[in-house]
Amino acid sequence: MVNFTIDQLRAIMDHKSNIRNMAVIAHVDHGKTTLTDSLLSKAGIISHGQAGDKRATDTRKDEQLRGITIKSTAVSMYHELSDLDLKGIQGNQPEGKGFLINLIDCPGHVDFSSEVTAALRLSDGAMVVVDCISGVSVQTETVLRQALSERVKPVLMMNKLDRSIMEKKQDPEDLYQHLRRIIENVNVAIATYGDELMGSCMVEPSNGDVAFGSGLHGWGFTLKQFARLYADKFKTEESRLATRLWGDNFYNSETRKWNTKGGDGYVRGFCKFVLEPLYRMLDATTNNKMDDVFQLTSRIDIKLTSEEKDLRGKDLMRAVMRKWLPAGDAMLQMIVLHLPSPVTAQKYRTQLLYEGPNDDEAAVAMKNCDPTGPLMLYISKMVPSQDSGRFFAFGRVFSGTVSTGQKVRIMGPDYKPGKEKDLSLKSIPRTVVMMGDKATPIDEVPCGNLVGLVGIDKYLVKSGTISTYEHAHNLKVMKFSVSPVVRVAVDVVNASDLPKLVEGLKRLSKSDPMVQVTSDMGQHIVAGAGELHLEICLKDLEQDHAKVPIKKSDPLVSYRETVTEKSSIVCLAKSANKLNRLYMTAEPLPEGLTEEIEEGIVTDTQDPKERARYLADKFGFDLAEARKIWCFGPNGTGPNMLVDCTKGAQYLNEIKDAVVAGMQWASQEGIFCEEGMRGVRFNLHDVTIHTDPAHRRGGQIIPTTRRSLLASVLTATPRLMEPVYLVNTQCPETVIGGIYSVLNRRRGNVFEESQVANTPLYMVKAYLPVNESFGFAEELRSVTGGQAFPQCVFDHWQLLPGSPLDEDSKAAAVVKDVRRRKGMSENIPGLENFLDKL
């Protein structure tokens, strides 16, 4: 039975030092959900017998069937800590023994990493789970990087220790070296991506921020717990003993002395005092040596019930180990002692999260986590409710208090202070606390807590900021580590169901932080991060959101159009009334600048003089021209730019807005197949403008600009770019040949192959065009007999071989295919359609 009430939960929400907001993150199948069960059973949410098998935070049917987490799930639980553990808390001292743990269990599969980003935005700490056998994997590094970039402090849980002992039969010294290497790898990743403002985030077993255990069998420990067991025997302090249980500290049982060099009769502290008792207990229980079991349990003061004494084999092992070293206790101790409370974390996270000035009323209230300040609440995702078609807006209160019926400003991602765009003034119908797939109503929630809001889904699409402060800026929009490059067109089987599909697509767009739904040329296109992500989205669309049968096209890939040389001629375009002329050229942006624009290092909101100096120093721009960058495009932020290179042209400022609008249009729908442009710099060389304002309106200038820009692209050796995946594959040496053959058939190229330290496994890294990746995982598994496990993440864009203007090239075939799909004529329009003669 749940051992806390909603009133207890509400009371503890006011004690901000007693709250821990944390996410559980890891590589796929390293055991996050299984470990979470141990914490839930400690809080009484599930029974002890179910922990490890139930996977309670996998609330969807398909999650239970596939055995992977798809959506992140939040659970709030109340725990009490022992007096001995309370002494170890540094920083803000808690009030009383009770702690509120807001835990978010995240997916591990790379296709769902947007769920991880959404969860980390709401957390202050993260428990990183690493499988003791496979060690630090690709996705482990990715999630660590995501956590540290959001300034979330990590602690480490080494899972599946039982397999290293019982299956691999590693002897204690080998196991210690293996564990030490994994922890070093984690610390390397932390050191690479860490942030000075957070202080040191390195993990060290002797400090107690690394736990070891087995989620499936529900046992786990930290070195502090073992130090406590031995402290009386050695008559020494716990903390001093804990440092001796890791690293090069050796103990001699005969002389009862420690040293740091080892030698005859000396055994490493970790092997002697931690692993030896573990090995003996696991050996005795799994091999049914009952006399040893009773002797060992009486020594460590564990009383077995008469039913437990009748158990044998693994069941006996689980029963004994759970009583001796419960995993819930070890994780709880680590979470409370080593992860920061909102009071501590918001001091260094506010600067990163808040877009406005760091000294305005909202920022000060966020830094101090002040429940009486203005409300600042970030909604990171929408959670489907039991009520069909409605969503809970799930987020975190950073300052102030949110209550039912409160009047608030709901600010979407496009809101700019002082403007009315993307802003709604509404009152909040109801506030709830999320408990897995259920929601419990609550009157108000103060800052530092996670909250669900009912009825906000009408005004926000995916995420946004909610505030009561009139001059509040937005909290930064989340940056995802993957991008939606795989798309499918969906349509209904029965034409009469179309309105249901349109409504279903709106709901789908809400339900997933990453998925993009667009409608163009009468097609409804759903874009996702990969094949699995799309498959899940379309299944949801058919069964939950639209509830009508749908048909889908083969996966489509988005391309980009670019140029590789400077325009061979200056392109002239005349307006429809023949009274205005524009002269333009196109050229590629310098190497590296395109990426910097996409990453937000070079933006349109920077100070023009600073930006000009940066571009001149780093990329060799002419300083005068760099100061006259009119805009970036498409959407005002894309990786193309329009530069004013004119000298003394008249009426130029009158037509600037129209030319900018034409550039946005041209860069969004390129010449070949109306895909976006990338990495193109357009230069405006000269203009001839009519003196009468009536003859130079937008209707004359915008189409002219577009024609001039497209002509300049056609004269600058245009090419098509395709997205490329970075494929990471872990596999035994015997099947590497199979991986090479599959990649070669699909235009892939391997650029790195390395052995994973102390394992027979190899890590193969390769680039694979997204276009060729459909069915790649299945083919690879069939060729390698299921031994190779590939992970594909979007990495970069590369030129598609061949020119689209050459009839026989691959690029030309791709262009034809896309044009046919979009319902355009198959041939690329010629230069004469865009270029005018003097």
Side-chain angles (χ1 to χ4, degrees):
M1 189 55 209
V2 180
N3 53 17
F4 59 89
T5 63
I6 200 76
D7 298 334
Q8 260 179 317
L9 215 58
R10 174 64 193 91
I12 198 106
M13 281 181 175
D14 289 325
H15 306 314
K16 295 185 291 295
S17 302
N18 293 41
I19 301 170
R20 299 289 183 273
N21 296 315
M22 47 101 49
V24 188
I25 54 176
H27 186 81
V28 61
D29 280 339
H30 277 202
K32 297 173 290 299
T33 309
T34 315
L35 271 167
T36 308
D37 276 4
S38 297
L39 274 171
L40 296 183
S41 73
K42 187 171 166 51
I45 295 173
I46 58 174
S47 72
H48 285 289
Q50 290 176 311
D53 299 329
K54 185 171 166 70
R55 302 206 311 276
T57 46
D58 280 355
T59 50
R60 294 163 49 121
K61 280 201 187 93
D62 50 354
E63 290 181 322
Q64 290 287 352
L65 279 172
R66 287 172 182 261
I68 60 168
T69 306
I70 291 167
K71 299 282 180 199
S72 52
T73 313
V75 184
S76 299
M77 342 175 236
Y78 175 83
H79 286 286
E80 288 193 353
L81 212 59
S82 66
D83 293 336
L84 272 172
D85 284 337
L86 285 172
K87 290 177 189 163
I89 294 181
Q90 287 119 12
N92 294 5
Q93 285 308 308
E95 304 167 40
K97 291 181 181 182
F99 284 87
L100 170 64
I101 311 279
N102 292 317
L103 177 139
I104 306 178
D105 176 39
C106 301
H109 196 286
V110 63
D111 279 11
F112 307 118
S113 75
S114 56
E115 291 278 340
V116 180
T117 312
L120 288 170
R121 170 55 63 90
L122 309 180
S123 313
D124 300 318
M127 181 163 78
V128 182
V129 183
V130 176
D131 180 342
C132 282
I133 290 184
S134 53
V136 176
S137 303
V138 196
Q139 194 61 12
T140 314
E141 280 196 30
T142 312
V143 291
L144 258 174
R145 186 177 73 232
Q146 280 174 298
L148 293 162
S149 69
E150 284 274 354
R151 292 194 187 154
V152 170
K153 187 176 191 277
V155 291
L156 182 63
M157 172 75 203
M158 309 281 276
N159 195 18
K160 308 193 187 182
L161 189 66
D162 56 321
R163 289 186 60 195
S164 295
I165 298 172
M166 289 150 68
E167 287 176 28
K168 288 243 173 159
K169 304 243 183 312
Q170 286 178 304
D171 65 60
E173 180 62 25
D174 284 351
L175 181 56
Y176 164 78
Q177 295 295 354
H178 182 61
L179 295 175
R180 185 184 60 87
R181 250 188 309 273
I182 293 176
I183 292 170
E184 268 176 19
N185 288 345
V186 171
N187 278 332
V188 165
I190 292 175
T192 316
Y193 306 118
D195 195 318
E196 294 98 52
L197 280 171
M198 292 167 67
S200 171
C201 294
M202 300 282 203
V203 292
E204 175 63 37
S206 50
N207 296 344
D209 50 12
V210 179
F212 306 88
S214 161
L216 184 65
H217 298 151
W219 57 268
F221 61 89
T222 63
L223 293 191
K224 279 204 166 157
Q225 287 173 298
F226 269 96
R228 190 172 295 164
L229 290 173
Y230 292 115
D232 297 338
K233 182 183 170 189
F234 281 104
K235 298 191 173 43
T236 175
E237 290 169 19
E238 236 180 79
S239 55
R240 199 165 156 211
L241 190 55
T243 52
R244 291 195 160 159
L245 292 181
W246 189 258
D248 293 336
N249 293 298
F250 301 89
Y251 181 72
N252 189 328
S253 318
E254 288 165 14
T255 60
R256 297 201 161 186
K257 294 238 173 85
W258 289 88
N259 79 3
T260 54
K261 293 187 180 64
D264 277 354
Y266 281 92
V267 182
R268 190 183 295 281
F270 181 70
C271 301
K272 172 88 184 151
F273 297 108
V274 179
L275 292 182
E276 219 170 89
L278 257 184
Y279 274 70
R280 282 178 63 190
M281 183 67 87
L282 289 171
D283 176 59
T285 49
T286 46
N287 297 324
N288 301 330
K289 301 177 181 172
M290 296 312 291
D291 297 346
D292 291 2
V293 172
F294 297 140
Q295 186 192 348
L296 288 166
T297 48
S298 64
R299 263 201 202 168
I300 50 180
D301 212 17
I302 290 178
K303 302 205 168 22
L304 295 177
T305 62
S306 51
E307 284 132 23
E308 286 167 341
K309 285 178 181 169
D310 295 340
L311 297 172
R312 290 294 177 267
K314 272 200 171 161
D315 296 333
L316 175 66
M317 184 264 286
R318 280 178 89 155
V320 173
M321 293 302 286
R322 279 183 184 185
K323 284 205 161 173
W324 179 31
L325 300 168
D329 291 6
M331 289 192 289
L332 179 68
Q333 181 198 24
M334 183 167 77
I335 289 163
V336 172
L337 267 56
H338 295 283
L339 293 182
S341 66
V343 188
T344 316
Q346 285 185 201
K347 283 188 173 61
Y348 55 75
R349 287 192 73 202
T350 300
Q351 182 196 346
L352 182 81
L353 299 178
Y354 188 56
E355 285 186 347
N358 266 328
D359 51 3
D360 76 355
E361 208 181 316
V364 172
M366 280 173 69
K367 275 184 190 154
N368 301 334
C369 194
D370 178 4
T372 58
L375 172 72
M376 287 300 284
L377 189 156
Y378 186 77
I379 298 293
S380 80
K381 62 174 281 196
M382 298 283 174
V383 182
S385 69
Q386 314 289 359
D387 187 15
S388 164
R390 294 311 297 270
F391 292 86
F392 295 117
F394 179 59
R396 166 165 170 179
V397 190
F398 284 98
S399 72
T401 303
V402 62
S403 57
T404 302
Q406 183 180 21
K407 194 119 170 79
V408 292
R409 299 165 65 83
I410 302 170
M411 311 186 291
D414 298 332
Y415 169 76
K416 295 278 182 293
K419 304 259 172 51
E420 291 292 308
K421 188 187 171 191
D422 220 354
L423 171 72
S424 319
L425 297 169
K426 298 286 178 238
S427 52
I428 293 172
R430 218 168 74 228
T431 44
V432 295
V433 175
M434 304 300 290
M435 303 287 275
D437 54 346
K438 297 178 190 68
T440 313
I442 191 165
D443 285 339
E444 54 172 25
V445 176
C447 56
N449 290 285
L450 305 188
V451 65
L453 303 179
V454 181
I456 297 296
D457 53 336
K458 290 181 202 163
Y459 314 111
L460 282 179
V461 180
K462 288 175 164 46
S463 62
T465 309
I466 295 180
S467 178
T468 51
Y469 177 51
E470 203 174 321
H471 306 294
H473 287 62
N474 265 358
L475 289 161
K476 271 208 182 77
V477 177
M478 292 179 295
K479 215 168 144 30
F480 299 124
S481 64
V482 291
S483 51
V485 286
V486 185
R487 312 183 302 170
V488 294
V490 293
D491 204 356
V492 283
V493 178
N494 312 317
S496 57
D497 290 335
L498 191 60
K500 288 184 183 169
L501 174 69
V502 175
E503 194 53 43
L505 285 167
K506 280 186 195 157
R507 286 180 200 158
L508 174 68
S509 173
K510 271 198 193 333
S511 70
D512 189 290
M514 180 83 206
V515 73
Q516 285 182 1
V517 177
T518 48
S519 300
D520 71 338
M521 303 275 179
Q523 283 186 316
H524 297 288
I525 290 182
V526 180
E531 277 187 281
L532 180 65
H533 185 209
L534 262 184
E535 188 186 322
I536 300 286
C537 285
L538 294 175
K539 185 179 146 299
D540 282 359
L541 177 66
E542 193 163 12
Q543 294 179 359
D544 302 339
H545 302 309
K547 296 187 177 164
V548 293
I550 56 174
K551 54 178 192 248
K552 47 191 181 286
S553 69
D554 288 338
L556 324 165
V557 179
S558 34
Y559 294 93
R560 292 285 179 273
E561 305 182 15
T562 189
V563 298
T564 48
E565 287 168 25
K566 193 165 178 173
S567 295
S568 51
I569 53 171
V570 176
C571 300
L572 158 74
K574 295 179 191 170
S575 60
N577 60 12
K578 303 284 185 279
L579 300 176
N580 306 291
R581 294 173 187 176
L582 300 178
Y583 296 84
M584 302 219 182
T585 58
E587 60 182 286
L589 284 177
E591 189 96 4
L593 178 57
T594 315
E595 285 74 21
E596 289 201 1
I597 298 173
E598 286 175 332
E599 284 163 19
I601 300 169
V602 177
T603 64
D604 59 333
T605 50
Q606 276 173 302
D607 175 51
K609 287 187 176 171
E610 280 176 24
R611 183 176 62 202
R613 169 59 51 208
Y614 178 77
L615 291 174
D617 292 348
K618 186 163 180 185
F619 297 107
F621 269 59
D622 176 68
L623 194 58
E625 289 178 1
R627 283 186 178 169
K628 295 201 288 185
I629 294 175
W630 274 10
C631 69
F632 293 87
N635 306 326
T637 53
N640 307 288
M641 63 170 70
L642 175 62
V643 183
D644 168 20
C645 304
T646 55
K647 302 276 190 294
Q650 275 185 313
Y651 305 117
L652 194 58
N653 278 342
E654 314 285 318
I655 62 157
K656 179 174 175 177
D657 289 349
V659 173
V660 166
M663 188 270 184
Q664 302 296 345
W665 180 13
S667 59
Q668 188 150 14
E669 297 182 355
I671 180 84
F672 293 134
C673 42
E674 293 195 356
E675 296 280 346
M677 290 190 188
R678 184 175 185 275
V680 186
R681 169 185 161 171
F682 296 110
N683 303 313
L684 178 65
H685 289 287
D686 193 11
V687 294
T688 312
I689 304 294
H690 197 274
T691 49
D692 182 355
H695 292 310
R696 53 167 194 244
R697 292 213 175 102
Q700 297 289 344
I701 304 294
I702 294 175
T704 311
T705 306
R706 174 174 174 266
R707 289 201 352 262
S708 182
L709 292 171
L710 294 182
S712 56
V713 167
L714 275 176
T715 55
T717 323
R719 297 283 294 275
L720 214 56
M721 298 185 95
E722 60 174 348
V724 180
Y725 277 144
L726 167 66
V727 183
N728 286 296
T729 314
Q730 262 188 338
C731 64
E733 191 180 6
T734 47
V735 300
I736 287 183
I739 294 179
Y740 274 89
S741 66
V742 174
L743 281 167
N744 288 343
R745 278 202 295 279
R746 293 171 171 265
R747 294 195 294 126
N749 63 316
V750 177
F751 63 92
E752 191 183 313
E753 180 188 309
S754 55
Q755 187 166 5
V756 183
N758 272 44
T759 60
L761 294 177
Y762 277 76
M763 189 65 147
V764 178
K765 290 188 177 181
Y767 290 132
L768 176 71
V770 175
N771 196 8
E772 306 281 350
S773 69
F774 306 117
F776 169 70
E778 281 74 31
E779 186 182 356
L780 196 59
R781 286 198 196 105
S782 65
V783 168
T784 60
Q787 288 179 297
F789 178 73
Q791 260 211 310
C792 302
V793 193
F794 169 72
D795 189 74
H796 65 275
W797 294 88
Q798 73 177 19
L799 289 174
L800 195 67
S803 163
L805 300 171
D806 171 16
E807 294 268 314
D808 306 326
S809 66
K810 176 156 184 70
V814 167
V815 168
K816 265 193 178 146
D817 202 33
V818 177
R819 288 182 74 90
R820 197 180 304 124
R821 191 184 80 232
K822 290 189 174 179
M824 300 151 67
S825 69
E826 284 190 18
N827 299 325
I828 299 167
L831 184 59
E832 63 280 357
N833 297 327
F834 303 107
L835 193 64
D836 287 331
K837 302 277 189 302
L838 250 180

